[in-house]
Amino acid sequence: MKIPENLLYTEDHEWVKLENDMAYIGITDFAQRELGDIVYVEIETLGENLKEHEVFGSVEAVKTVSDLFLPLTGEILEVNPKLETNPELVNSDPYGEGWMIKIKVKNLFDAEGLLRSGSYASLIGL
């Protein structure tokens, strides 16, 4: 199971890739494996300012639907357009082509509360 060291993680199994005051966000390899085959990604919060831990969308797998929680307060700038026609990218490449949103982070200090790769690995029992 992949847990890239250059990313930050949440206890809700989202990952964050910070680039200055921008962040790409998706779900972890662990999360996509637990969900199974993802058939639909719904994100209707483009352009909205959301607070940390608020729901920014959902993923639908064959057997379940799960909410997606924003790891950092910010404005949703972009939704990955590829997921509209290829939601399975979340399964095949969760840390690359399967990213979900890009946000403008309101307060970079909030990232200090996110998990590093080693802590996330411990959380999921690796």
Coordinates of all heavy atoms in Angstrom, one line a residue, residues 2-63:
K2 N 0.6 2.2 -0.8 CA 1.4 3.4 -1.0 C 1.0 4.5 0.0 O -0.2 4.7 0.2 CB 1.2 4.0 -2.4 CG 1.7 3.1 -3.5 CD 1.5 3.7 -4.8 CE 1.8 2.7 -6.0 NZ 1.4 3.3 -7.3
I3 N 2.0 5.1 0.6 CA 1.8 6.3 1.5 C 3.0 7.2 1.2 O 4.0 7.2 1.9 CB 1.8 5.9 3.0 CG1 0.7 4.8 3.3 CG2 1.5 7.1 3.9 CD1 0.7 4.3 4.7
P4 N 2.8 8.0 0.1 CA 3.9 8.9 -0.2 C 4.4 9.8 0.9 O 3.5 10.4 1.6 CB 3.4 9.7 -1.4 CG 2.3 8.9 -2.0 CD 1.7 8.1 -0.8
E5 N 5.7 9.9 1.1 CA 6.2 10.7 2.2 C 6.1 12.3 2.0 O 6.1 13.0 2.9 CB 7.7 10.4 2.4 CG 7.8 9.0 3.0 CD 9.3 8.6 3.4 OE1 10.1 9.6 3.4 OE2 9.5 7.5 3.6
N6 N 5.9 12.7 0.7 CA 5.8 14.1 0.4 C 4.4 14.7 0.6 O 4.1 15.9 0.4 CB 6.2 14.4 -1.0 CG 5.3 13.8 -2.0 OD1 4.9 12.6 -1.9 ND2 5.1 14.5 -3.1
L7 N 3.4 13.9 1.1 CA 2.1 14.3 1.3 C 1.7 14.4 2.8 O 2.4 13.8 3.6 CB 1.1 13.4 0.6 CG 1.3 13.2 -0.9 CD1 0.3 12.1 -1.4 CD2 1.2 14.5 -1.6
L8 N 0.6 15.0 3.1 CA 0.1 15.1 4.5 C -1.2 14.3 4.4 O -1.9 14.2 3.4 CB -0.1 16.5 4.9 CG 1.1 17.4 4.9 CD1 0.8 18.8 5.2 CD2 2.1 16.9 6.0
Y9 N -1.7 13.9 5.6 CA -2.9 13.0 5.7 C -3.8 13.4 6.8 O -3.4 14.1 7.7 CB -2.4 11.5 5.9 CG -1.5 11.1 4.8 CD1 -0.1 11.3 4.8 CD2 -2.0 10.5 3.6 CE1 0.7 10.9 3.8 CE2 -1.2 10.1 2.6 CZ 0.2 10.3 2.7 OH 1.0 9.9 1.6
T10 N -5.1 12.9 6.7 CA -6.1 13.2 7.7 C -6.5 11.8 8.3 O -6.3 10.8 7.6 CB -7.3 13.9 7.2 OG1 -8.1 13.0 6.4 CG2 -7.0 15.1 6.4
E11 N -7.1 11.9 9.4 CA -7.7 10.6 10.0 C -8.9 10.2 9.2 O -9.3 9.0 9.4 CB -8.0 10.9 11.5 CG -6.8 11.1 12.3 CD -7.1 11.3 13.8 OE1 -8.3 11.2 14.2 OE2 -6.1 11.5 14.6
D12 N -9.4 11.0 8.4 CA -10.6 10.6 7.5 C -10.1 10.1 6.2 O -10.9 9.9 5.3 CB -11.5 11.9 7.3 CG -12.1 12.4 8.5 OD1 -12.6 11.5 9.3 OD2 -12.2 13.6 8.7
H13 N -8.8 9.9 6.0 CA -8.2 9.2 4.9 C -8.1 10.1 3.6 O -8.2 9.6 2.5 CB -8.8 7.9 4.6 CG -8.9 7.0 5.8 ND1 -7.8 6.5 6.4 CD2 -9.9 6.7 6.6 CE1 -8.1 5.8 7.5 NE2 -9.4 5.9 7.7
E14 N -8.0 11.4 3.8 CA -7.7 12.3 2.7 C -6.2 12.6 2.7 O -5.6 12.5 3.7 CB -8.5 13.6 2.8 CG -10.0 13.5 2.3 CD -10.9 13.2 3.5 OE1 -10.5 13.4 4.7 OE2 -12.0 12.8 3.2
W15 N -5.7 12.9 1.5 CA -4.3 13.3 1.4 C -4.3 14.8 0.9 O -5.2 15.2 0.3 CB -3.4 12.4 0.5 CG -3.9 12.3 -0.9 CD1 -4.7 11.3 -1.4 CD2 -3.7 13.2 -2.0 NE1 -4.9 11.5 -2.7 CE2 -4.3 12.7 -3.1 CE3 -3.0 14.4 -2.1 CZ2 -4.2 13.3 -4.4 CZ3 -2.9 15.0 -3.3 CH2 -3.5 14.5 -4.4
V16 N -3.2 15.5 1.3 CA -3.0 16.9 0.9 C -1.6 17.0 0.3 O -0.6 16.6 0.9 CB -3.1 17.8 2.1 CG1 -2.8 19.2 1.7 CG2 -4.5 17.6 2.8
K17 N -1.5 17.7 -0.8 CA -0.2 18.0 -1.4 C -0.2 19.5 -1.5 O -0.9 20.2 -2.2 CB -0.1 17.4 -2.9 CG 1.2 17.8 -3.5 CD 1.3 17.3 -4.9 CE 2.6 17.6 -5.6 NZ 2.6 17.2 -7.0
L18 N 0.7 20.1 -0.6 CA 0.8 21.6 -0.6 C 1.8 22.1 -1.6 O 2.8 21.5 -1.8 CB 1.3 22.0 0.8 CG 0.3 22.0 2.0 CD1 1.0 22.3 3.3 CD2 -0.9 22.9 1.7
E19 N 1.4 23.2 -2.3 CA 2.2 23.9 -3.2 C 2.0 25.4 -2.9 O 1.1 26.0 -3.4 CB 1.9 23.6 -4.7 CG 2.1 22.1 -5.0 CD 1.8 21.8 -6.5 OE1 1.2 22.7 -7.2 OE2 2.1 20.7 -6.9
N20 N 2.9 25.9 -2.0 CA 2.7 27.3 -1.5 C 1.4 27.4 -0.8 O 1.1 26.6 0.1 CB 2.9 28.3 -2.6 CG 4.3 28.2 -3.3 OD1 5.3 28.1 -2.5 ND2 4.4 28.2 -4.6
D21 N 0.5 28.3 -1.2 CA -0.8 28.4 -0.6 C -1.9 27.7 -1.3 O -3.1 27.9 -1.0 CB -1.2 29.9 -0.3 CG -1.4 30.6 -1.6 OD1 -1.0 30.2 -2.7 OD2 -2.0 31.7 -1.6
M22 N -1.5 26.8 -2.2 CA -2.5 25.9 -2.9 C -2.3 24.5 -2.4 O -1.2 24.1 -2.0 CB -2.3 26.0 -4.4 CG -2.3 27.3 -5.0 SD -4.0 28.0 -4.9 CE -3.6 29.7 -5.5
A23 N -3.4 23.7 -2.5 CA -3.3 22.3 -2.1 C -4.2 21.5 -3.0 O -5.3 21.9 -3.3 CB -3.7 22.2 -0.6
Y24 N -3.6 20.3 -3.4 CA -4.4 19.3 -4.1 C -4.8 18.3 -3.0 O -4.1 18.0 -2.1 CB -3.5 18.6 -5.1 CG -3.2 19.5 -6.3 CD1 -2.1 20.3 -6.4 CD2 -4.1 19.5 -7.4 CE1 -1.9 21.1 -7.5 CE2 -3.9 20.3 -8.5 CZ -2.8 21.1 -8.6 OH -2.6 21.9 -9.6
I25 N -6.0 17.8 -3.2 CA -6.6 16.9 -2.2 C -7.3 15.7 -2.9 O -7.9 15.9 -3.9 CB -7.6 17.7 -1.3 CG1 -6.9 18.8 -0.5 CG2 -8.4 16.7 -0.4 CD1 -7.8 19.8 0.1
G26 N -7.1 14.6 -2.3 CA -7.7 13.3 -2.8 C -7.9 12.4 -1.6 O -7.7 12.7 -0.5
I27 N -8.3 11.2 -1.9 CA -8.4 10.1 -0.9 C -7.2 9.2 -1.0 O -6.6 9.0 -2.1 CB -9.7 9.4 -0.9 CG1 -9.9 8.5 -2.2 CG2 -10.9 10.3 -0.7 CD1 -11.1 7.6 -2.1
T28 N -6.8 8.6 0.1 CA -5.7 7.7 0.1 C -5.9 6.4 -0.5 O -7.0 6.0 -0.8 CB -5.2 7.5 1.6 OG1 -6.3 6.7 2.2 CG2 -5.0 8.8 2.3
D29 N -4.8 5.7 -0.8 CA -4.8 4.4 -1.3 C -5.6 3.5 -0.4 O -6.4 2.6 -0.8 CB -3.3 3.9 -1.5 CG -3.2 2.6 -2.3 OD1 -4.1 2.3 -3.1 OD2 -2.1 2.0 -2.2
F30 N -5.4 3.6 0.9 CA -6.1 2.8 1.9 C -7.6 3.0 1.7 O -8.4 2.1 1.7 CB -5.7 3.2 3.3 CG -6.5 2.5 4.4 CD1 -6.2 1.2 4.8 CD2 -7.5 3.2 5.0 CE1 -7.0 0.6 5.8 CE2 -8.3 2.6 6.0 CZ -8.0 1.3 6.4
A31 N -8.0 4.3 1.6 CA -9.5 4.6 1.5 C -10.1 4.0 0.2 O -11.2 3.4 0.3 CB -9.7 6.1 1.5
Q32 N -9.4 4.2 -0.9 CA -10.0 3.6 -2.1 C -10.1 2.1 -2.1 O -11.0 1.5 -2.6 CB -9.2 4.1 -3.4 CG -7.8 3.6 -3.6 CD -7.7 2.3 -4.2 OE1 -8.7 1.8 -4.9 NE2 -6.6 1.6 -4.1
R33 N -9.1 1.4 -1.4 CA -9.2 0.0 -1.3 C -10.3 -0.4 -0.4 O -11.0 -1.4 -0.7 CB -7.9 -0.6 -0.7 CG -6.7 -0.5 -1.7 CD -5.5 -1.0 -1.0 NE -4.3 -0.8 -1.8 CZ -3.3 -1.6 -2.0 NH1 -3.3 -2.8 -1.4 NH2 -2.3 -1.3 -2.8
E34 N -10.6 0.3 0.7 CA -11.7 0.0 1.6 C -13.0 0.2 0.9 O -14.0 -0.5 1.1 CB -11.6 0.9 2.8 CG -10.5 0.6 3.7 CD -10.6 -0.8 4.4 OE1 -11.7 -1.0 5.1 OE2 -9.7 -1.6 4.3
L35 N -13.1 1.3 0.0 CA -14.4 1.6 -0.7 C -14.7 0.6 -1.8 O -15.8 0.3 -2.0 CB -14.3 3.0 -1.3 CG -14.4 4.1 -0.3 CD1 -14.0 5.4 -0.9 CD2 -15.8 4.2 0.3
G36 N -13.6 0.1 -2.4 CA -13.8 -0.8 -3.6 C -13.9 0.1 -4.9 O -13.5 1.2 -4.9
D37 N -14.5 -0.5 -5.9 CA -14.6 0.2 -7.2 C -15.4 1.4 -7.1 O -16.6 1.4 -6.9 CB -15.2 -0.8 -8.3 CG -14.2 -1.9 -8.6 OD1 -13.0 -1.8 -8.3 OD2 -14.7 -3.0 -9.0
I38 N -14.8 2.6 -7.4 CA -15.5 3.8 -7.4 C -16.2 4.1 -8.7 O -15.5 4.0 -9.8 CB -14.5 5.0 -7.0 CG1 -14.1 4.7 -5.6 CG2 -15.1 6.3 -7.2 CD1 -13.0 5.6 -5.0
V39 N -17.5 4.4 -8.6 CA -18.2 4.5 -9.9 C -18.7 6.0 -10.1 O -19.1 6.3 -11.2 CB -19.5 3.6 -9.9 CG1 -19.0 2.2 -9.9 CG2 -20.4 3.9 -8.7
Y40 N -18.6 6.8 -9.1 CA -19.0 8.2 -9.2 C -18.4 9.1 -8.2 O -18.3 8.7 -7.0 CB -20.5 8.3 -9.1 CG -21.1 9.6 -9.4 CD1 -21.1 10.2 -10.7 CD2 -21.7 10.4 -8.5 CE1 -21.6 11.4 -11.0 CE2 -22.3 11.6 -8.7 CZ -22.2 12.1 -10.0 OH -22.8 13.4 -10.3
V41 N -17.9 10.3 -8.6 CA -17.4 11.3 -7.7 C -18.3 12.5 -7.9 O -18.4 13.0 -9.0 CB -15.9 11.6 -8.0 CG1 -15.4 12.7 -7.1 CG2 -15.0 10.4 -7.9
E42 N -18.9 13.0 -6.8 CA -19.7 14.2 -6.8 C -19.1 15.3 -6.0 O -19.0 15.1 -4.8 CB -21.1 13.8 -6.3 CG -22.0 15.0 -6.3 CD -23.5 14.7 -5.9 OE1 -23.6 13.7 -5.1 OE2 -24.4 15.5 -6.3
I43 N -18.7 16.4 -6.7 CA -18.2 17.5 -6.0 C -18.9 18.8 -6.6 O -18.7 19.1 -7.7 CB -16.7 17.6 -6.1 CG1 -16.0 16.4 -5.6 CG2 -16.1 18.9 -5.5 CD1 -14.5 16.3 -5.9
E44 N -19.8 19.4 -5.8 CA -20.5 20.5 -6.3 C -20.2 21.8 -5.5 O -21.0 22.7 -5.3 CB -22.0 20.2 -6.2 CG -22.4 19.0 -7.1 CD -23.9 18.7 -7.0 OE1 -24.6 19.3 -6.2 OE2 -24.3 17.9 -7.9
T45 N -19.0 21.9 -5.0 CA -18.6 23.0 -4.1 C -17.6 23.9 -4.8 O -17.0 24.7 -4.1 CB -18.0 22.4 -2.8 OG1 -17.0 21.5 -3.1 CG2 -19.0 21.8 -1.9
L46 N -17.4 23.8 -6.1 CA -16.5 24.7 -6.8 C -16.8 26.1 -6.5 O -18.0 26.5 -6.6 CB -16.6 24.4 -8.3 CG -15.6 25.2 -9.2 CD1 -14.2 24.8 -8.9 CD2 -15.9 24.9 -10.7
G47 N -15.8 26.9 -6.2 CA -16.0 28.3 -5.9 C -16.4 28.6 -4.5 O -16.4 29.8 -4.1
E48 N -16.7 27.6 -3.7 CA -17.1 27.9 -2.3 C -15.9 28.0 -1.4 O -14.9 27.4 -1.6 CB -18.1 26.8 -1.9 CG -19.4 26.8 -2.6 CD -20.3 25.7 -2.1 OE1 -20.2 25.3 -0.9 OE2 -21.2 25.3 -2.9
N49 N -16.1 28.7 -0.3 CA -15.2 28.8 0.8 C -15.7 27.9 1.9 O -16.8 28.1 2.4 CB -15.1 30.2 1.3 CG -14.3 31.1 0.4 OD1 -13.1 30.9 0.3 ND2 -14.9 32.0 -0.2
L50 N -15.0 26.8 2.2 CA -15.4 25.9 3.2 C -14.4 25.8 4.4 O -13.2 26.1 4.2 CB -15.5 24.5 2.6 CG -16.5 24.3 1.5 CD1 -16.5 22.9 0.9 CD2 -17.9 24.6 2.0
K51 N -14.9 25.4 5.5 CA -14.0 25.3 6.7 C -13.5 23.9 6.8 O -14.1 22.9 6.3 CB -14.8 25.6 7.9 CG -15.2 27.1 8.1 CD -15.8 27.3 9.4 CE -16.0 28.8 9.7 NZ -16.8 29.6 8.9
E52 N -12.4 23.7 7.5 CA -11.8 22.4 7.8 C -12.8 21.5 8.3 O -13.7 21.9 9.1 CB -10.6 22.7 8.8 CG -9.9 21.4 9.2 CD -8.8 21.8 10.2 OE1 -8.6 22.9 10.6 OE2 -8.1 20.8 10.6
H53 N -12.9 20.3 7.9 CA -13.8 19.2 8.3 C -15.2 19.3 7.7 O -16.0 18.4 7.9 CB -13.9 19.1 9.8 CG -12.6 18.9 10.5 ND1 -11.7 17.8 10.3 CD2 -11.9 19.7 11.4 CE1 -10.7 18.0 11.0 NE2 -10.7 19.1 11.7
E54 N -15.4 20.3 6.9 CA -16.7 20.4 6.2 C -16.7 19.4 5.0 O -15.7 19.2 4.4 CB -17.1 21.8 5.7 CG -17.5 22.7 6.8 CD -18.1 24.0 6.3 OE1 -17.3 24.8 5.6 OE2 -19.2 24.3 6.6
V55 N -17.9 18.9 4.6 CA -18.0 18.0 3.5 C -17.9 18.8 2.2 O -18.6 19.8 2.0 CB -19.4 17.3 3.5 CG1 -19.6 16.5 2.3 CG2 -19.4 16.4 4.8
F56 N -16.9 18.4 1.3 CA -16.8 19.1 0.0 C -17.3 18.2 -1.1 O -17.4 18.7 -2.3 CB -15.3 19.5 -0.2 CG -14.4 18.4 -0.5 CD1 -14.2 17.8 -1.8 CD2 -13.6 17.8 0.5 CE1 -13.3 16.8 -2.1 CE2 -12.7 16.8 0.2 CZ -12.5 16.3 -1.0
G57 N -17.7 17.0 -0.9 CA -18.3 16.2 -1.9 C -18.4 14.7 -1.4 O -18.4 14.5 -0.2
S58 N -18.6 13.8 -2.3 CA -18.8 12.4 -1.9 C -18.3 11.5 -3.1 O -18.2 11.9 -4.2 CB -20.3 12.1 -1.6 OG -21.1 12.3 -2.8
V59 N -18.0 10.3 -2.7 CA -17.6 9.3 -3.6 C -18.6 8.1 -3.5 O -19.0 7.8 -2.4 CB -16.1 8.7 -3.5 CG1 -15.1 9.8 -3.8 CG2 -15.9 8.2 -2.1
E60 N -19.0 7.6 -4.6 CA -19.9 6.4 -4.6 C -19.1 5.2 -5.2 O -18.6 5.3 -6.3 CB -21.1 6.7 -5.5 CG -22.1 5.6 -5.6 CD -23.3 5.9 -6.4 OE1 -23.6 7.1 -6.7 OE2 -24.0 5.0 -6.8
A61 N -19.1 4.2 -4.4 CA -18.5 2.9 -4.8 C -19.7 2.0 -5.0 O -20.9 2.3 -4.8 CB -17.6 2.4 -3.7
V62 N -19.4 0.8 -5.5 CA -20.4 -0.2 -5.8 C -21.4 -0.4 -4.6 O -22.6 -0.5 -4.8 CB -19.8 -1.5 -6.3 CG1 -20.8 -2.6 -6.6 CG2 -19.0 -1.2 -7.6
K63 N -20.8 -0.5 -3.4 CA -21.6 -0.9 -2.3 C -21.9 0.3 -1.3 O -22.7 0.1 -0.3 CB -20.9 -2.0 -1.5 CG -20.7 -3.2 -2.3 CD -20.0 -4.3 -1.5 CE -19.7 -5.5 -2.4 NZ -18.9 -6.5 -1.7

